[in-house]
RNA sequence: GCGAGCGUAGCCAAGUGGUUAAGGCAGUGGUUUGUGGUACCACCAUUCGCGGGUUCGAGCCCCGUCGUUCGCCCCA
């Protein structure tokens, strides 16, 4: 038997309602904030991610699905995240020439070669937002606010917003030096990974889960103290505006995100109800990325949410929304079955959901299936009804039924809709 | 890449070396060939992920392998 590859999975009908709910909710809120959907390719030239995300990052270093195109010349990579592709498109299509800011959002599959675990897969799905062309602190807060609105609209609880500023390039360089200077004397006591990172990517040491390393990191210099005045002012303004909007946050001095392009604001929204992979939404400002990828000097901020993780949370809260029919059509006998088929189509055209039993089996069997389908009402068509063009309308909850002309049934749409809506309560 | 747990039917499972592999859900047929939800009856794994080994005998023990889950790393 051929199975789905490790780290990929099927989203079956019983689960897909959650996905549709998330997509629909996000789409509504994003649309109200006048974000426009953008759809970009699922694979790109490898160098886009190498330059955009950073060669030293884990994502680029060991997690990308990279292959050579058939011609043998181009190195191609399945996108491991959404921002790089959107920014490439922004530059290539000269969206900056339209002036002002671009408010964009996207959704789709991302790919990273990692060991699967709870809330982590090799093919996973994100919904993300990019607000390109503003360096205003209000942009940071708008982006975060839209994220929290979506999460709130989904009814998710126990979420917390962690935020930090990683400053701009110069700030970070200065901080890196201070941090390395502080850590150097403790080198022997750090865990192995952190020792490696001392030269390669010292900021990430702050994030280590090793006990001893955490203790040492506690007293390390804070990045905030290395920020320039303007960077500090930006961060303070963002925090004040969050407070104005009533959005709670914790400053996490150790929050350093794994992609190189982040500047200034970095944030994560986490849940207590997930396993080790607790981040539901992550993002930040990326003021240097557009220029780095060959576009004009342009500031921007964005985030991405992990759809699988949202689904995990929703599953804890609600039953999967299911599509149950208004009518289940029971029929038997050649003429009756043909009429039932036609009737099902006409009912659909007037706005009902209709399931047609295709079995020709005994009425008893068909009623049993009608029950299981969760239908509100049954329409019964046998030889007798077929002869005089009637149909038996049976309300399944009460068992009440009556014969009615097919033409008449099709004319009482509003009355039926009201009745069905009542019975669905 | 590293560590730990788990693989018995479509799903949930009992079973810890000794004849025929419990049970439940779902499914199919029937009691009931023009009326469902309840009830009752029947059917539904020659086989326990796969390969090898130990043994008179293996779902059960051992080795390998594949899959899966959780964790490390990293991130959504």
């Amino acid at each position: 038997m051929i199975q789905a590859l490790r780290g990929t999975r099927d989203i079956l009908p019983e689960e897909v309602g959650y996905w549709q709910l998330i997509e629909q909710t996000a789409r509504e809120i994003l649309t109200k904030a006048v974000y426009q959907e953008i759809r970009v390719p699922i694979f790109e030239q490898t160098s886009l991610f190498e330059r955009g995300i950073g060669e030293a990052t884990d994502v680029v270093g060991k997690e990308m699905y990279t292959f050579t195109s058939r011609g043998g010349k181009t190195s191609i990579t399945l996108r491991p995240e959404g921002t790089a592709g959107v920014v490439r498109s922004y530059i290539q299509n000269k969206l900056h020439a339209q002036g002002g800011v671009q408010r964009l959002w996207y959704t789709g599959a991302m790919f990273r070669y990692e060991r699967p675990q709870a809330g982590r897969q090799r093919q996973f799905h994100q919904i993300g937002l990019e607000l390109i062309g503003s360096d205003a602190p209000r942009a940071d807060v708008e982006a975060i606010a839209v994220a929290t609105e979506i999460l709130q609209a989904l009814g998710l609880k126990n979420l917390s917003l962690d935020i930090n500023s990683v400053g701009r390039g110069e700030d970070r360089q200065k901080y890196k030096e201070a941090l390395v200077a502080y850590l150097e004397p403790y080198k022997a006591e750090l865990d192995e990974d952190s020792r490696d990172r001392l030269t390669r990517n010292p900021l990430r040491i702050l994030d280590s889960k090793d006990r001893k390393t955490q203790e040492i990191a506690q007293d390390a210099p804070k990045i905030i103290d290395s920020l320039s005045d303007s960077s500090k002012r930006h961060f303070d303004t963002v925090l004040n505006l969050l407070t104005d909007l009533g959005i709670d946050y914790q400053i996490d001095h150790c929050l350093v995100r794994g992609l190189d392009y982040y500047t200034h604001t970095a944030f994560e929204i986490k849940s207590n109800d997930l396993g080790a992979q607790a981040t539901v939404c992550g993002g930040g400002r990326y003021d240097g990325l557009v220029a780095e990828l060959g576009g004009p000097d342009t500031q921007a901020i964005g985030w991405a949410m992990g759809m699988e993780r949202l689904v995990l949370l929703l599953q804890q809260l609600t039953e999967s929304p299911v599509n149950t029919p208004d009518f289940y059509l029971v029929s038997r006998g050649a003429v009756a079955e043909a009429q039932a088929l036609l009737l099902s189509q006409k009912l659909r055209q007037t706005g009902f959901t209709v399931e047609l039993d295709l079995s020709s089996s005994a009425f008893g069997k068909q009623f049993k299936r009608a029950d299981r389908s969760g239908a509100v009402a049954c329409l019964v068509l046998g030889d007798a009804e077929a002869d005089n063009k009637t149909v038996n309308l049976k309300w399944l909850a009460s068992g009440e039924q009556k014969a009615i002309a097919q033409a008449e049934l099709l004319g009482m749409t509003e009355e039926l809709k009201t009745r069905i809506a009542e019975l669905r309560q």
Side-chain angles (χ1 to χ4, degrees):
Chain A
M1 184 181 58
I2 296 176
Q3 299 189 42
L5 288 167
R6 160 173 289 184
T8 70
R9 53 185 217 104
D10 304 309
I11 297 156
L12 298 173
E14 60 189 34
E15 191 194 310
V16 84
Y18 292 117
W19 289 77
Q20 290 167 342
L21 177 68
I22 293 166
E23 285 157 10
Q24 186 190 320
T25 305
R27 191 180 299 267
E28 268 169 29
I29 289 168
L30 288 160
T31 303
K32 278 186 197 153
V34 203
Y35 283 75
Q36 314 241 52
E37 184 174 1
I38 183 169
R39 302 190 185 193
V40 298
I42 233 166
F43 55 50
E44 298 271 2
Q45 283 189 33
T46 302
S47 55
L48 171 66
F49 302 116
E50 288 172 345
R51 283 170 52 192
I53 299 169
E55 310 256 11
T57 61
D58 280 30
V59 169
V60 170
K62 56 186 199 195
E63 294 175 3
M64 294 206 300
Y65 277 93
T66 297
F67 55 95
T68 307
S69 183
R70 270 187 186 270
K73 290 202 183 115
T74 316
S75 177
I76 290 175
T77 294
L78 264 35
R79 63 181 182 196
E81 57 100 49
T83 302
V86 170
V87 168
R88 192 226 80 234
S89 174
Y90 173 88
I91 297 166
Q92 181 181 337
N93 297 293
K94 300 194 166 38
L95 298 185
H96 46 83
Q98 298 176 10
V101 302
Q102 290 287 321
R103 288 182 167 89
L104 303 169
W105 71 275
Y106 62 84
T107 182
M110 308 292 160
F111 304 86
R112 290 182 202 170
Y113 187 89
E114 299 185 273
R115 272 301 268 281
Q117 69 185 72
R120 194 176 78 186
Q121 290 169 242
R122 290 183 174 178
Q123 176 179 333
F124 61 103
H125 300 80
Q126 291 186 332
I127 181 154
L129 166 158
E130 314 292 352
L131 202 179
I132 308 177
S134 170
D135 63 355
R138 278 198 294 167
D140 305 40
V141 176
E142 175 181 306
I144 293 171
V146 169
T148 59
E149 275 179 75
I150 291 170
L151 298 169
Q152 211 165 57
L154 289 169
L156 302 181
K157 303 265 155 46
N158 298 330
L159 298 175
S160 59
L161 168 65
D162 291 353
I163 191 164
N164 195 19
S165 173
V166 296
R168 55 168 72 85
E170 313 91 81
D171 302 336
R172 218 156 1 160
Q173 196 49 47
K174 203 171 110 195
Y175 176 64
K176 259 186 210 168
E177 285 162 21
L179 183 63
V180 172
Y182 166 82
L183 289 172
E184 199 66 49
Y186 297 103
K187 192 168 178 180
E189 297 171 60
L190 297 175
D191 62 287
E192 208 185 314
D193 286 330
S194 295
R195 239 173 295 147
D196 281 355
R197 291 201 193 100
L198 209 47
T199 46
R200 207 165 37 93
N201 199 352
L203 295 194
R204 291 226 57 89
I205 297 175
L206 298 175
D207 240 1
S208 173
K209 291 194 180 77
D210 181 82
R211 257 257 189 78
K212 187 75 194 161
T213 303
Q214 274 183 338
E215 266 173 46
I216 297 168
Q218 281 259 300
D219 298 320
K222 301 209 177 349
I223 193 159
I224 288 199
D225 299 326
S226 297
L227 296 184
S228 68
D229 286 350
S230 68
S231 296
K232 183 109 181 53
R233 217 175 308 126
H234 181 97
F235 189 45
D236 287 341
T237 309
V238 167
L239 298 181
N240 287 334
L241 291 170
L242 284 171
T243 305
D244 288 350
L245 290 192
I247 297 172
D248 293 335
Y249 61 83
Q250 291 87 243
I251 297 175
D252 178 356
H253 294 292
C254 293
L255 174 61
V256 178
R257 298 181 44 75
L259 313 182
D260 280 356
Y261 53 62
Y262 286 113
T263 58
H264 295 289
T265 312
F267 70 94
E268 290 183 357
I269 299 173
K270 294 183 182 166
S271 167
N272 296 325
D273 302 328
L274 291 169
Q277 309 304 319
T279 304
V280 158
C281 174
R285 186 160 270 290
Y286 50 92
D287 287 347
L289 183 60
V290 180
E292 171 65 32
L293 294 177
D297 193 17
T298 306
Q299 291 69 46
I301 181 159
W303 51 252
M305 295 188 190
M307 302 264 285
E308 280 79 1
R309 291 179 191 177
L310 294 177
V311 170
L312 286 173
L313 292 174
L314 280 178
Q315 282 175 330
Q316 295 171 20
L317 285 178
T318 49
E319 295 285 300
S320 178
V322 284
N323 179 20
T324 54
D326 296 324
F327 292 113
Y328 190 94
L329 256 156
V330 165
S331 59
R332 203 160 188 220
V335 179
E337 287 170 17
Q339 283 184 17
L341 175 63
L342 181 65
L343 187 60
S344 72
Q345 187 195 30
K346 290 195 166 152
L347 284 167
R348 260 186 268 128
Q349 286 166 353
T350 55
F352 295 103
T353 52
V354 184
E355 181 170 350
L356 176 67
D357 192 303
L358 298 167
S359 70
S360 307
S361 52
F363 279 103
K365 292 287 162 205
Q366 296 197 49
F367 272 96
K368 199 166 263 186
R369 282 191 281 267
D371 251 337
R372 300 223 168 119
S373 77
V376 178
C378 225
L379 290 169
V380 192
L381 250 160
D383 294 334
E385 289 82 4
D387 282 346
N388 52 24
K389 292 282 183 86
T390 62
V391 64
N392 237 350
L393 170 62
K394 177 167 184 173
W395 300 98
L396 283 167
S398 62
E400 167 203 352
Q401 67 177 321
K402 66 171 178 184
I404 180 169
Q406 289 173 29
E408 192 187 336
L409 181 84
L410 290 166
M412 53 195 286
T413 306
E414 288 315 312
E415 189 185 331
L416 289 170
K417 278 190 177 158
T418 310
R419 180 89 191 258
I420 288 166
E422 279 168 22
L423 288 168
R424 277 189 186 276
Q425 291 306 305

